Amino acid sequence: VLSAAHVRWGIAGPGEIAERFVAAMGAAPAGRVVAVASRSRERARAFAERHAIGRAHGSYAELAGDDQVEVVYVAVPHSHHEAVTLLCLAAGKHVLCEKPLALNARQAERMASAARQHRRFLMEAIWSRFLPAYRTLGELLAAGQIGRPLLVEAEFGFRMPVMPAHRLFDPELGGGAALDLGIYPLQLASLVLGPPDRVVAVGAVGDTGVDELVAALTAHPGGGVGVAKAALRANLAGVGRVVGESGTIELAAPMHDPRSVTLTSESRSDVVPCAYDGDGLRFEIDEVHRCLAAGELESPVLSLDESLALARALDAIRADLGVVYPGDSA
Amino acid sequence: VLSAAHVRWGIAGPGEIAERFVAAMGAAPAGRVVAVASRSRERARAFAERHAIGRAHGSYAELAGDDQVEVVYVAVPHSHHEAVTLLCLAAGKHVLCEKPLALNARQAERMASAARQHRRFLMEAIWSRFLPAYRTLGELLAAGQIGRPLLVEAEFGFRMPVMPAHRLFDPELGGGAALDLGIYPLQLASLVLGPPDRVVAVGAVGDTGVDELVAALTAHPGGGVGVAKAALRANLAGVGRVVGESGTIELAAPMHDPRSVTLTSESRSDVVPCAYDGDGLRFEIDEVHRCLAAGELESPVLSLDESLALARALDAIRADLGVVYPGDSA
């Protein structure tokens, strides 16, 4: 039974991450997925049946027009984030949009403007930020456990065979390591040191025209430094590290989903377990529910201005590497 | 008794590293320290007495003119590497010069030119390269254990109080993290991926005008990427890592003096112990002896061209950070 207290979600894009989202919603009692949409009605129906979702739409416009839906989880490829998000916002829906918010900063700015204009909630789905480990990180920093943070380094990389048809290698879909994986280390540096004011990158671009290996440096207000690495070509250890004047906090690998945090200061190390049950997406879902209940149109944990700064950082990285998407010209 | 077979060394600059050098020479039977020089005859004499060295000179010119000396170990502050090295080369001495080779690339180029012109041996004292661990690294790479190397990351940093009078904080002496510590991670990337063809850096410059924290990216021929970090303001873990297409080789911290190497490929990790006795400087001393005996004027392990590339990399880092030394204008 769907009570009035339930937040009613629609899902745009019944892919792999949407499967995780539905599983995570099971642990978030305040919400319920009531609809799903795909460009293929068949795919939408199959997904709806698999998850006992009442309504299956054959287009995103149908989903945007569904008056049972309050908030849409946009889980289509990066290249379509903007179009689907604008459609939903214009129809009065709130939106949680998968990371990266858009293909480039210009698209992201249009999305943020639309959310503000229509007075609807919009957040980039950087789920890691809402995990227990990230809360612990914030508490340790706030308590001054490592003094002033100076350096944030993190990485996310794995080796996969080059598959030109796979979205990660396809410029049409906004492929490449930076947008899909690099956003995680970048957001960690931004979280700890503030949004970057300069970004430089080097890397390797593969035959399909996307970045398969990238390292970026970010300069932050006050002199903080970020080091972000991402790769589709090599396995990276995946640790996240905040080095402060008097100690280091380490997010266990993988830093986008750490299950423990280690604080090292002077000669002593303490491990803080940050385990949790179920799918980690549930913490960002809780935050959306909290914001909607409180009438907040942006999360204080991840503002639209910060998402725009991250989008500009990704633009700068691609500019340094010479990666251009067909969608950039739109 | 000094036999004709002994290589006769003079030391310019009786400081801390010279103490280590003398200790290391004890384990290198082919060589003998026969003279030491300082701008202060008193300091030279005290050093000579402490180490039973026969000759103490009150100027570097005296040392250069000492016909008992074949090769000079230049261990004066960075700012004086060029002047002392040129003096020694012009007087017909071979030179092992502490790292970094000079304050900037222009000085380093003049030094390399002088060595070539006078047909004397010259090498930058990047002692790490000659350690057992680095030899193991080279063997593992040559054997294809991690496939093509893609990414080299390394760091060297410690926290020390800001002491304006200390050489590390003094622009007059070429202070800062990059020249003193950053050279180690930079040379590792250069060793594995070839000298860099592009360098970018961000960091923090302190009140005395030197870089106290620096992160640099290096782009190498063929698409390899280097990440180098150095700090006077924070303790860095100090691991060195070479990430290849099919595995990773890790140099144990501190990466400038690792005592083991770990090879990780697929799901398996093997630790190769690379311990040694005595002071690690002895391996570079052995290399100088080998080169002199073979009539080689440069070491194949660290050519002057590579040292020039490293000097240019340090210049680029300082340019990005805005660190200028008074000695740069000379």
Side-chain angles (χ1 to χ4, degrees):
Chain A
V1 179
L2 192 67
S3 90
H6 278 115
V7 175
R8 297 182 309 274
W9 288 82
I11 292 177
E16 205 178 315
I17 189 74
E19 299 279 350
R20 283 186 54 194
F21 187 84
V22 171
M25 188 66 75
R32 194 72 58 90
V33 177
V34 300
V36 60
S38 168
R39 284 180 304 181
S40 148
R41 195 173 302 272
E42 280 319 298
R43 287 192 66 215
R45 274 190 187 139
F47 188 93
E49 273 169 32
R50 205 155 54 244
H51 298 291
I53 294 168
R55 308 156 82 86
H57 299 292
S59 78
Y60 302 120
E62 261 181 46
L63 175 68
D66 184 337
D67 60 9
Q68 289 299 300
V69 171
E70 290 173 79
V71 50
V72 173
Y73 173 53
V74 173
V76 297
H78 312 334
S79 47
H80 295 76
H81 285 184
E82 184 196 12
V84 176
T85 295
L86 292 181
L87 203 59
C88 293
L89 290 171
K93 309 303 183 199
H94 303 295
V95 172
L96 173 67
C97 178
E98 256 312 316
K99 32 76 27 198
L101 191 56
L103 215 50
N104 56 44
R106 203 159 45 124
Q107 292 187 350
E109 279 155 17
R110 290 193 293 245
M111 294 160 73
S113 296
R116 285 161 177 162
Q117 179 198 328
H118 295 294
R119 299 198 53 73
R120 287 298 175 275
F121 177 87
L122 174 60
M123 187 175 88
E124 184 179 8
I126 301 184
W127 59 287
S128 307
R129 283 213 174 172
F130 305 94
L131 296 172
Y134 278 67
R135 199 172 318 135
T136 297
L137 168 65
E139 288 162 2
L140 293 173
L141 287 171
Q145 295 282 358
I146 61 166
R148 189 155 71 88
L150 303 172
L151 174 70
V152 176
E153 35 183 348
E155 59 184 20
F156 189 177
F158 44 76
R159 186 192 186 193
M160 62 186 292
V162 175
M163 296 181 286
H166 189 287
R167 71 174 181 88
L168 283 175
F169 289 95
D170 187 350
E172 285 282 353
L173 299 180
L179 260 68
D180 218 72
L181 310 177
I183 185 79
Y184 289 106
L186 288 172
Q187 65 80 27
L188 179 62
S190 178
L191 175 67
V192 173
L193 301 171
D197 40 35
R198 194 164 81 89
V199 182
V200 290
V202 304
V205 176
D207 291 338
T208 69
V210 305
D211 49 298
E212 297 180 359
L213 172 68
V214 58
L217 301 180
T218 50
H220 300 259
V225 172
V227 180
K229 283 160 278 164
L232 303 176
R233 248 193 214 182
N235 293 315
L236 303 180
V239 168
R241 197 176 284 124
V242 180
V243 180
E245 285 182 315
S246 59
T248 295
I249 301 171
E250 199 164 288
L251 299 174
M255 58 72 53
H256 64 280
D257 190 10
R259 304 302 171 109
S260 72
V261 171
T262 302
L263 168 65
T264 304
S265 46
E266 308 306 322
S267 56
R268 130 155 219 236
S269 266
D270 294 293
V271 179
V272 185
C274 300
Y276 63 85
D277 292 326
D279 193 292
L281 297 190
R282 75 187 173 88
F283 299 99
E284 70 174 354
I285 294 173
D286 286 341
E287 171 68 357
V288 177
H289 292 165
R290 192 199 63 72
C291 288
L292 294 183
E296 295 174 18
L297 299 183
E298 298 186 30
S299 166
V301 179
L302 178 60
S303 70
L304 286 176
D305 280 347
E306 188 177 1
S307 283
L308 295 180
L310 291 171
R312 286 190 291 269
L314 291 171
D315 279 4
I317 289 170
R318 285 203 291 130
D320 278 358
L321 268 54
V323 172
V324 178
Y325 299 132
D328 285 330
S329 47
Chain B
V1 179
L2 191 67
S3 89
H6 277 116
V7 175
R8 297 181 310 272
W9 287 82
I11 292 178
E16 205 178 315
I17 189 74
E19 299 279 350
R20 283 186 54 194
F21 187 84
V22 171
M25 189 65 75
R32 193 73 59 88
V33 178
V34 299
V36 61
S38 168
R39 283 181 305 182
S40 149
R41 195 173 302 272
E42 281 319 297
R43 288 192 66 216
R45 275 188 188 141
F47 188 94
E49 274 169 32
R50 205 154 54 243
H51 298 292
I53 294 168
R55 309 156 80 86
H57 299 293
S59 78
Y60 303 120
E62 261 181 46
L63 176 68
D66 184 336
D67 60 10
Q68 289 298 300
V69 171
E70 290 173 77
V71 50
V72 172
Y73 173 53
V74 173
V76 297
H78 311 335
S79 47
H80 295 76
H81 284 184
E82 184 197 12
V84 176
T85 296
L86 292 182
L87 203 59
C88 293
L89 290 171
K93 310 302 182 198
H94 303 294
V95 172
L96 172 68
C97 179
E98 255 314 314
K99 32 70 35 191
L101 191 57
L103 215 51
N104 56 43
R106 203 159 44 123
Q107 292 187 351
E109 279 156 16
R110 290 192 293 244
M111 293 160 73
S113 296
R116 286 162 175 159
Q117 180 198 326
H118 295 295
R119 299 199 53 73
R120 285 299 175 275
F121 177 86
L122 174 61
M123 187 174 88
E124 184 179 7
I126 301 184
W127 58 288
S128 307
R129 284 214 173 170
F130 304 94
L131 296 172
Y134 278 68
R135 200 171 319 134
T136 297
L137 168 66
E139 288 163 2
L140 293 172
L141 288 170
Q145 294 283 357
I146 61 166
R148 190 155 71 89
L150 302 172
L151 174 69
V152 176
E153 34 183 349
E155 60 184 21
F156 188 176
F158 45 76
R159 186 192 185 192
M160 62 186 291
V162 175
M163 297 181 286
H166 190 287
R167 70 174 181 88
L168 283 175
F169 289 96
D170 188 350
E172 285 282 353
L173 299 180
L179 261 68
D180 218 71
L181 310 177
I183 185 79
Y184 288 107
L186 288 172
Q187 64 81 27
L188 179 62
S190 178
L191 175 67
V192 174
L193 301 170
D197 41 35
R198 194 163 81 88
V199 182
V200 291
V202 304
V205 175
D207 292 337
T208 69
V210 305
D211 49 299
E212 297 180 359
L213 172 68
V214 57
L217 301 179
T218 50
H220 300 259
V225 172
V227 180
K229 283 161 278 164
L232 303 176
R233 246 192 216 185
N235 293 315
L236 303 180
V239 169
R241 198 175 284 123
V242 179
V243 180
E245 284 182 316
S246 59
T248 295
I249 300 171
E250 200 165 288
L251 298 174
M255 57 72 54
H256 63 281
D257 190 11
R259 304 304 171 109
S260 71
V261 170
T262 303
L263 168 67
T264 304
S265 46
E266 307 307 321
S267 55
R268 134 154 216 236
S269 265
D270 294 293
V271 179
V272 185
C274 300
Y276 63 86
D277 292 326
D279 194 292
L281 297 190
R282 74 186 171 89
F283 299 99
E284 70 175 352
I285 294 174
D286 286 341
E287 172 68 357
V288 176
H289 291 165
R290 192 199 62 72
C291 289
L292 295 184
E296 294 175 17
L297 299 183
E298 298 185 29
S299 166
V301 178
L302 178 60
S303 70
L304 286 175
D305 280 347
E306 188 177 1
S307 283
L308 295 180
L310 292 171
R312 286 190 291 269
L314 290 170
D315 279 4
I317 289 171
R318 285 203 291 130
D320 278 359
L321 267 55
V323 172
V324 179
Y325 299 132
D328 285 331
S329 47

